[in-house]
Amino acid sequence: MNYDPSSEIRQITIILVISLTFGLLTGTLAWTLVVSLSGYLIWNLRQLFRLYDWLKQEKLSDPPASHGLWGSTFDHIYQLQQRQLKYRARLKKVIKRFRDSTFALKDGFVMLDDQGNIDWWNPAAEKMLGLRSPIDSNQLITNLIRHPKFKGYFENENHERPLVIPSPLNNDIILEYQITRFGKQDQLIVVRDITELKQLEKVRTDFVANVSHELRTPLTVIDGYLETMSDNREMLAPPWHKPLDQMTEQTRRMSNLINDLLLLSRIESRDNQGRHTPVDMGATIHSIRNDLSSNLEEKQQTLEIILLSNKQLLGPKEQVYSLVSNLASNASKYSEQSAHIVISWLDTTTGAQLRVEDNGIGIPAMDIPRLTERFYRVDRGRAQAIKGTGLGLAIVKHILVNLDGTLEIESKVGIGSTFICNFPSHRLQSTKQKAS
Ligand code: ADP
């Protein structure tokens, strides 16, 4: 109901006119004015008390009946109360839906405040992490999940990758933690049970490793016989020469494939925090250039080394070697005669970088995202002419995962490619003298 101020003014004017007329007629103007204004004041005070009594009530009830300014005020307050009740009901419904959905989720959710204290968690998190209500509420998360890797992960600002560690309740259960920041430095931890996935992955890698291992012995025997036959090829009739060459080539290919598969499963099964041997990048790159020298000479290619960082990379030596070697041999393989290859090792704001650049055949943009997939080769027809297993960059990717590094690929067809490996500072160690 909308209030019209002119009606209130009209009412006061009528009271004043009646009081004045009555006062003038009876000769008691002052008394009449005092009595009528006191009456008006008392009536207003009464309305105020009624409002106070009504608002004091715990339960919402209909507003006191009144008219004019007071009636309108009561109605407006009543409408506000009704609206607020509706909002509250809607909010309750939303909270209930949120609670129901988080209760039904199989993944665990733990909400933390900006200090890392636990604010809230869902039943799945309770089951996976053994959180107890209300004792663990407001506790520091690192006091409850005491794994050293969790502490490191939690304190690290970069949570791009999830952390995989055993459950604090049972070592056989493998959990994946992912931290996301929201609001004002609040954090949400999502916990997933990936035990089954890890088991399946292990079955797969074990299977590939076992098959590769079993194939290696017969293949070595075949290779040995083929080599003997090749050494004595004059004893064979000429029609057998071509099949012998083809058999030798295919056996070598199969052998390379098996070696790459075995290397890949070795890299995959290794704990990435395990070994922290400082690797001299300058020496590694020089040694790879020596290993590739015959290929480089054959294609009259040049390989330039630029060492601008004195940092050593912390990781398993053979994996670092394999990483650089795969990238360098690809640069040579996928470049024409007389190409120029540059391998650089330099500092960055976040750590260090290995760059392998070539001015070779390049890679079409649409193939770049898939290069690190196993057996992916750009344009099979083109790749067929160049020997390879299609596993080199998959090996590179897995080594980088073990070394906490990332891979960037920049390439233009016909101009060349650059493979950039970025390493974080915790994977680096300074050497006393600068590398040259
Ligand atoms: P492959 O054994 O075939 O070399 P990789 O996994 O090492 O397997 O590489 C996958 C594909 O990526 C290759 O088949 C090739 O087409 C492409 N590639 C890799 N490195 C380069 C490069 N430096 N220049 C152009 N193409 C490249």
Side-chain angles (χ1 to χ4, degrees):
M1 189 182 23
N2 273 333
Y3 167 69
D4 176 11
S6 61
S7 72
E8 194 69 23
I9 294 168
R10 213 178 310 128
Q11 267 182 30
I12 298 172
T13 319
I14 292 169
I15 293 170
L16 278 174
V17 169
I18 295 173
S19 310
L20 279 172
T21 323
F22 183 79
L24 285 172
L25 287 176
T26 56
T28 54
L29 182 63
W31 279 111
T32 315
L33 276 177
V34 168
V35 170
S36 57
L37 287 176
S38 304
Y40 185 70
L41 193 72
I42 289 166
W43 182 78
N44 274 311
L45 267 176
R46 201 174 152 253
Q47 302 305 318
L48 200 61
F49 285 130
R50 288 175 76 201
L51 174 66
Y52 176 74
D53 287 340
W54 178 54
L55 291 179
K56 218 171 55 177
Q57 286 172 18
E58 274 181 14
K59 262 193 160 184
L60 186 67
S61 61
D62 286 347
S66 188
H67 55 85
L69 179 60
W70 283 105
S72 181
T73 308
F74 290 147
D75 285 344
H76 277 297
I77 294 176
Y78 185 65
Q79 272 169 16
L80 278 176
Q81 283 179 332
Q82 292 286 342
R83 218 178 297 159
Q84 206 195 4
L85 265 187
K86 262 190 221 154
Y87 280 143
R88 211 188 295 168
R90 213 178 302 159
L91 200 66
K92 258 191 192 166
K93 222 164 127 187
V94 172
I95 292 174
K96 191 178 171 310
R97 271 175 71 92
F98 172 75
R99 276 174 68 93
D100 287 352
S101 58
T102 52
F103 271 53
L105 282 174
K106 283 199 177 122
D107 291 347
F109 287 87
V110 184
M111 233 180 247
L112 309 176
D113 65 14
D114 54 349
Q115 304 295 315
N117 298 315
I118 304 177
D119 261 350
W120 172 91
W121 64 86
N122 72 341
E126 192 163 314
K127 225 167 94 189
M128 284 190 241
L129 306 174
L131 299 176
R132 292 150 307 158
S133 181
I135 316 167
D136 293 334
S137 201
N138 274 322
Q139 293 279 338
L140 208 62
I141 186 80
T142 41
N143 285 347
L144 298 168
I145 307 173
R146 290 181 165 271
H147 199 289
K149 277 189 194 168
F150 182 81
K151 196 168 186 289
Y153 178 68
F154 184 72
E155 282 163 7
N156 191 349
E157 286 293 299
N158 183 3
H159 298 129
E160 236 169 72
R161 284 202 197 133
L163 170 77
V164 177
I165 47 168
S167 151
L169 301 178
N170 181 348
N171 262 345
D172 294 335
I173 294 174
I174 308 296
L175 299 180
E176 183 189 80
Y177 296 85
Q178 176 74 64
I179 299 180
T180 314
R181 285 191 191 278
F182 70 99
K184 285 185 191 166
Q185 293 299 306
D186 290 340
Q187 297 174 84
L188 178 72
I189 306 182
V190 182
V191 194
R192 279 177 64 210
D193 182 345
I194 55 160
T195 316
E196 221 167 287
L197 198 77
K198 280 277 156 194
Q199 273 163 358
L200 279 174
E201 241 175 54
K202 193 166 179 330
V203 169
R204 180 181 58 82
T205 41
D206 284 356
F207 174 75
V208 174
N210 288 339
V211 170
S212 311
H213 196 74
E214 291 303 321
L215 282 175
R216 204 142 88 158
T217 319
L219 209 60
T220 315
V221 175
I222 295 171
D223 196 34
Y225 279 123
L226 286 173
E227 213 176 308
T228 318
M229 285 164 83
S230 295
D231 288 347
N232 302 295
R233 58 191 297 134
E234 67 285 348
M235 290 169 71
L236 291 173
W240 284 105
H241 286 181
K242 201 173 168 212
L244 177 67
D245 290 343
Q246 276 179 351
M247 278 194 287
T248 310
E249 194 194 318
Q250 293 307 321
T251 314
R252 296 267 147 83
R253 250 191 91 197
M254 227 193 286
S255 206
N256 286 341
L257 192 66
I258 284 168
N259 287 341
D260 274 0
L261 279 172
L262 280 170
L263 176 66
L264 196 57
S265 63
R266 264 207 313 276
I267 294 165
E268 272 184 317
S269 60
R270 198 151 286 169
D271 185 347
N272 65 351
Q273 305 288 317
R275 298 207 267 152
H276 277 70
T277 325
V279 181
D280 182 336
M281 291 303 281
T284 307
I285 299 170
H286 275 105
S287 143
I288 285 162
R289 182 166 64 181
N290 281 346
D291 290 352
L292 283 179
S293 59
S294 61
N295 290 6
L296 294 169
E297 264 166 39
E298 203 179 296
K299 292 176 95 176
Q300 291 168 347
Q301 295 170 335
T302 46
L303 196 160
E304 186 187 347
I305 299 175
I306 302 175
L307 299 173
L308 296 173
S309 169
N310 63 356
K311 302 259 169 49
Q312 292 184 318
L313 185 58
L314 298 173
K317 199 170 175 187
E318 65 279 16
Q319 288 193 23
V320 178
Y321 189 92
S322 187
L323 168 90
V324 188
S325 165
N326 267 305
L327 293 177
S329 72
N330 273 354
S332 163
K333 260 194 320 189
Y334 299 104
S335 297
E336 313 285 359
Q337 293 280 118
S338 318
H340 184 61
I341 300 160
V342 184
I343 305 184
S344 346
W345 175 240
L346 40 115
D347 287 325
T348 61
T349 46
T350 52
Q353 193 175 78
L354 173 82
R355 294 173 73 93
V356 181
E357 294 167 64
D358 64 60
N359 54 358
I361 57 175
I363 307 157
M366 63 171 195
D367 290 302
I368 292 178
R370 300 194 57 191
L371 286 186
T372 54
E373 286 175 21
R374 278 152 217 243
F375 301 114
Y376 190 82
R377 303 196 75 196
V378 177
D379 179 3
R380 292 199 159 260
R382 177 186 92 158
Q384 217 59 49
I386 305 167
K387 288 189 193 78
T389 58
L391 287 173
L393 290 179
I395 291 173
V396 165
K397 185 183 110 180
H398 275 92
I399 293 175
L400 282 172
V401 169
N402 284 359
L403 298 174
D404 304 323
T406 54
L407 178 67
E408 282 171 52
I409 304 170
E410 293 167 1
S411 189
K412 279 218 166 83
V413 175
I415 294 187
S417 315
T418 307
F419 287 75
I420 305 162
C421 306
N422 289 302
F423 299 97
S425 49
H426 70 266
R427 277 283 176 184
L428 302 164
Q429 179 180 292
S430 291
T431 41
K432 285 181 191 81
Q433 71 269 56
K434 195 161 167 66
S436 59

